[in-house]
Amino acid sequence: MITVNSGNVVVDGIWLWRADHDIQGLVYESRNPVDTGLMVNGDNVVGYGLACEHTLGDMLVWNGNNGRSYFYQSEYPYDVTQANYGDKGFVAYRVGDNVTSHEAYGIGVYSFFRDTSVTVENGIKAPASAKFHNSLSVFLDGNGQITHVING
């Protein structure tokens, strides 16, 4: 939905949402496809009040160095299956393997797999150099689980 390629950017108060319903009612079978809500490729980017929900890939991908985020809320898609989502290793917040510095505060990953039982291994995936504070996962309702909050 949004890609930040520039450095020294502030992203403030965004809610990036793949529609889980439309004028015909609930969305099923991965309709309304969107892979990623926010992708950050620039260095020295700061995010305040970020939300990405229901995308069909990694919800947030942070590839830039020296990034910081303060409050992130996410919810996995309701209408996916284990084969098209859980087995592919998608996460709610991914920091790229080549990132040497990243810090995040208040990162929440929620699940409500409505239609089938889906297990995702990790809510957050990041290299050891990244620092996360007050991160959590929440099972809202439905089926399946988030096995680990971060990195197993």
Side-chain angles (χ1 to χ4, degrees):
M1 293 179 205
I2 294 177
T3 300
V4 177
N5 288 320
S6 297
N8 304 300
V9 172
V10 174
V11 180
D12 187 12
I14 60 169
W15 180 29
L16 304 171
W17 173 74
R18 174 188 153 256
D20 59 345
H21 62 275
D22 57 24
I23 60 172
Q24 298 169 355
L26 297 177
V27 168
Y28 293 96
E29 299 173 353
S30 303
R31 287 193 342 242
N32 302 335
V34 173
D35 287 333
T36 301
L38 177 62
M39 181 171 293
V40 177
N41 296 321
D43 293 339
N44 306 305
V45 174
V46 179
Y48 298 100
L50 309 175
C52 296
E53 296 189 342
H54 312 299
T55 66
L56 300 174
D58 293 331
M59 285 184 259
L60 179 148
V61 178
W62 205 296
N63 293 315
N65 277 306
N66 303 314
R68 289 176 287 138
S69 62
Y70 301 89
F71 182 79
Y72 171 76
Q73 183 269 322
S74 61
E75 186 175 289
Y76 282 110
Y78 303 155
D79 58 319
V80 293
T81 67
Q82 184 65 34
N84 78 354
Y85 197 82
D87 291 342
K88 294 184 177 181
F90 294 127
V91 296
Y93 194 115
R94 181 179 302 275
V95 178
D97 291 339
N98 295 325
V99 173
T100 58
S101 175
H102 183 84
E103 197 150 4
Y105 297 84
I107 308 304
V109 179
Y110 308 139
S111 71
F112 172 36
F113 295 114
R114 180 191 65 207
D115 299 340
T116 60
S117 184
V118 177
T119 298
V120 293
E121 284 301 310
N122 297 289
I124 303 164
K125 197 79 169 144
S129 60
K131 296 178 182 163
F132 282 79
H133 309 276
N134 302 316
S135 300
L136 58 99
S137 69
V138 176
F139 173 79
L140 295 173
D141 200 356
N143 307 290
Q145 68 182 20
I146 302 167
T147 306
H148 305 283
V149 175
I150 183 169
N151 293 343

